[in-house]
Amino acid sequence: MARHPDRAGAAALGVALPLVVEPPLAAFGAWYECFPRGASPEPGRHGTLRDLAARLPYVAEMGFDVVYLPPIHPIGLRHRKGRNNTLVAGADDPGSPWAIGSPAGGHTAVHLELGTLDDFDALVARAKELGLEIALDLAFQCAPDHPWVAERPEWFRHRPDGTIQYAENPPKKYQDIVPFDFEGTAWTTLWAALRDVVLFWISRGVTVFRVDNPHTKPFAFWEWLIAAVRERHPETIFLSEAFTRPAVMRHLAKVGFSQSYTYFTWRNTRAELVAYLTELTQTPVREYMRPNLFANTPDILHEYLQTGGRGAHAIRLVLAATLAGSFGIYGPPFELAEARALPGTEEYQDSEKFELRHWDLAASHSLRPLVTLVNRIRRENPAFRHLRGLRFVPTDNDALLAYVRATPDGSNQVIVVVTLDPHHPQSGWLDLPLAGLGIAGDRTYQVEDLLGGGRYLWQGGRNFVALDPRGLPAHVFRVHQHVRTERDFDYWL
């Protein structure tokens, strides 16, 4: 009956609905964020785009798909921030890349210490050779000495005394940034200029953009911009970086953003993770908002990572990579388990946003081998590409989170069990939904641990697991030796 429905009572909607078809990368991909100026192999020297090109094999070998760069444009001099976001910069402080623009140029220029547009073209070409996409940050704001501030003052908001108000995203203040007036009298020329910025970088081989603070700009602007860009370049992907109210994040998804940052960073207990991921995957939200789970960002070093050390970083990596189709890390701090924060904040101590940092990529404690293995498991198992195939599994220990990822036809099924305790060994019993897995209750079946190695014969739904964060914090079991029927798949629906 499902295959041959009676359509005698069917009615036409009467309105043609637009259909947007995006690349697979919009739904499934691993993102690696890094600062080009931190790519220098020599401590104390400002990294360049050429240095970053030389580092791309390191990223590609870990199995990432996207290399996302914070703004690469000239950095303003007026009101430049100093180390650790201090209001007065020293003579050698490089400033925040998000303070875009100086006499050297604006949103279509490259910071002089990073190199030239030719160097950028070489970076994009090298990335494509390695199977990587370069993603750029769209930060639609200006430093006070951006050329547009003097050339197009009508594009900015002014105080009654004629001065320009600096940007704020409470509780944060950005004295080195001035915002555009998206709804001012000159909005049409401003919007067109910002569209042309996107088209400029697309012409240089970039089709993936991470959009900075889109919730502080009008929804109508994003709906227009995304549609205008996709009319010419339908392959373009836009990631919304909006940590704000749920209704606002959802509306941004509806106006055209391909992906969205989420509250994943602040969901650390089993109850929090189950409730939030159920919302993202089993409610109408899943129809229009694709989550991208970033384990950390240059702005957010959660207390869990600050206090949990290497084990916490490994746990959050596995969770981010296996709970959703798209995930990301900010490296090298993440794989090196950098956990120093400014007291009482989620800001990194000696943040790379405000100073040059050098990273020892060969450090013995690096999570690089685990990152590589997790990304390989993701690529080899189609179950991780299907967000709707996520179902949580009961356990008798709240420190253990268990869930099943499955393809719609059941040809690939993976059981993930992660400890949420970064300090102590944990163990417990799983209650697997055998009916949903297409396994008879009395049948023996095999699970292969893709993360730790080994194969195990299980029988029944109740099975024992034990995890120690000092080793591997998770099991990723691929289910073998059973036949799945269409009737079994109905269980999940």
Side-chain angles (χ1 to χ4, degrees):
M1 291 180 65
R3 290 192 298 270
H4 305 283
D6 179 4
R7 299 190 180 277
L13 180 61
V15 178
L17 297 177
L19 177 66
V20 176
V21 180
E22 296 184 275
L25 187 60
F28 181 81
W31 292 52
Y32 187 86
E33 177 178 2
C34 62
F35 286 78
R37 69 189 186 188
S40 170
E42 306 164 20
R45 177 172 72 78
H46 194 291
T48 67
L49 296 177
R50 295 283 180 177
D51 291 329
L52 181 59
R55 182 173 289 185
L56 288 182
Y58 165 84
V59 181
E61 288 165 6
M62 284 193 288
F64 287 96
D65 305 292
V66 179
V67 180
Y68 153 54
L69 311 181
I72 60 171
H73 316 300
I75 298 172
L77 299 173
R78 292 175 54 191
H79 305 298
R80 175 177 284 191
K81 295 291 187 74
R83 299 189 176 195
N84 291 314
N85 203 23
T86 55
L87 295 179
V88 179
D92 297 327
D93 288 339
S96 166
W98 282 272
I100 296 172
S102 76
H107 284 75
T108 56
V110 173
H111 188 56
L112 292 178
E113 291 185 89
L114 290 177
T116 66
L117 283 172
D118 288 341
D119 294 332
F120 180 80
D121 293 341
L123 173 69
V124 172
R126 179 59 175 145
K128 292 190 181 300
E129 289 175 1
L130 295 168
L132 296 168
E133 292 289 336
I134 296 294
L136 288 185
D137 195 290
L138 287 185
F140 285 157
Q141 59 208 24
C142 294
D145 42 343
H146 190 295
W148 281 348
V149 176
E151 297 169 1
R152 304 303 299 262
E154 69 275 16
W155 287 354
F156 300 89
R157 288 180 178 166
H158 295 73
R159 299 188 185 94
D161 64 2
T163 58
I164 298 178
Q165 173 67 46
Y166 62 74
E168 295 185 72
N169 185 18
K172 297 181 179 181
K173 297 182 178 181
Y174 306 97
Q175 293 87 348
D176 54 340
I177 293 171
V178 295
F180 290 115
D181 186 357
F182 284 87
E183 299 171 305
T185 57
W187 68 271
T188 55
T189 56
L190 171 62
W191 289 22
L194 297 178
R195 175 206 59 203
D196 291 345
V197 167
V198 181
L199 296 177
F200 173 84
W201 292 108
I202 291 176
S203 72
R204 307 201 85 92
V206 176
T207 56
V208 184
F209 296 92
R210 178 268 201 187
V211 179
D212 186 66
N213 287 332
H215 58 290
T216 61
K217 288 84 176 172
F219 294 138
F221 167 72
W222 294 119
E223 186 171 11
W224 172 84
L225 175 75
I226 294 173
V229 171
R230 285 190 175 144
E231 184 177 1
R232 306 184 192 187
H233 302 281
E235 71 279 10
T236 310
I237 295 171
F238 294 91
L239 169 59
S240 167
E241 186 259 357
F243 297 114
T244 184
R245 299 185 304 279
V248 174
M249 294 170 66
R250 294 172 183 175
H251 195 80
L252 287 166
K254 290 181 178 181
V255 302
F257 279 93
S258 312
Q259 301 179 1
S260 175
Y261 277 45
T262 68
Y263 303 138
F264 169 73
T265 310
W266 299 279
R267 303 295 186 264
N268 292 276
T269 67
R270 185 169 80 167
E272 291 170 342
L273 287 164
V274 169
Y276 188 50
L277 269 297
T278 298
E279 173 190 333
L280 293 178
T281 62
Q282 306 302 322
T283 71
V285 175
R286 73 183 188 183
E287 304 295 345
Y288 55 86
M289 191 173 98
R290 296 193 194 100
N292 191 324
L293 307 186
F294 264 77
N296 70 325
T297 76
D299 299 301
I300 305 170
L301 175 63
H302 191 273
E303 181 184 9
Y304 183 86
L305 295 179
Q306 296 179 29
T307 60
R310 188 177 186 274
H313 283 73
I315 289 168
R316 297 301 288 181
L317 166 71
V318 175
L319 290 171
T322 61
L323 279 169
S326 297
F327 87 102
I329 62 171
Y330 155 51
F334 186 88
E335 65 263 31
L336 297 179
E338 173 74 18
R340 297 180 304 119
L342 291 175
T345 76
E346 293 182 340
E347 290 277 351
Y348 279 92
Q349 177 78 38
D350 303 326
S351 171
E352 201 170 10
K353 292 190 297 182
F354 306 107
E355 63 182 273
L356 300 181
R357 294 292 304 273
H358 181 263
W359 308 102
D360 180 9
L361 303 184
S364 60
H365 67 278
S366 174
L367 288 168
R368 179 182 178 185
L370 180 61
V371 174
T372 304
L373 178 56
V374 168
N375 275 331
R376 192 181 77 206
I377 292 171
R378 275 170 48 90
R379 287 185 173 182
E380 292 177 351
N381 289 272
F384 293 112
R385 298 174 180 266
H386 298 273
L387 192 63
R388 299 187 184 199
L390 170 69
R391 291 295 185 278
F392 289 99
V393 173
T395 71
D396 64 356
N397 182 348
D398 283 345
L400 296 177
L401 182 69
Y403 44 96
V404 173
R405 298 296 304 272
T407 54
D409 64 358
S411 60
N412 184 230
Q413 299 168 326
V414 182
I415 303 165
V416 183
V417 189
V418 188
T419 177
L420 304 179
D421 183 348
H423 303 289
H424 309 101
Q426 296 288 342
S427 61
W429 291 86
L430 312 181
D431 288 311
L432 295 173
L434 294 186
L437 293 170
I439 301 174
D442 59 350
R443 182 174 179 180
T444 298
Y445 54 100
Q446 184 185 85
V447 294
E448 176 189 3
D449 189 353
L450 304 176
L451 203 57
R455 292 173 180 254
Y456 308 92
L457 290 178
W458 285 2
Q459 185 173 27
R462 191 165 174 81
N463 292 278
F464 181 79
V465 294
L467 291 165
D468 188 339
R470 292 169 297 185
L472 288 173
H475 293 299
V476 180
F477 294 118
R478 183 162 54 197
V479 180
H480 291 286
Q481 296 187 357
H482 70 273
V483 178
R484 178 79 169 260
T485 67
E486 186 174 341
R487 180 174 62 95
D488 296 324
F489 179 57
D490 291 340
Y491 175 91
W492 293 113
L493 300 179

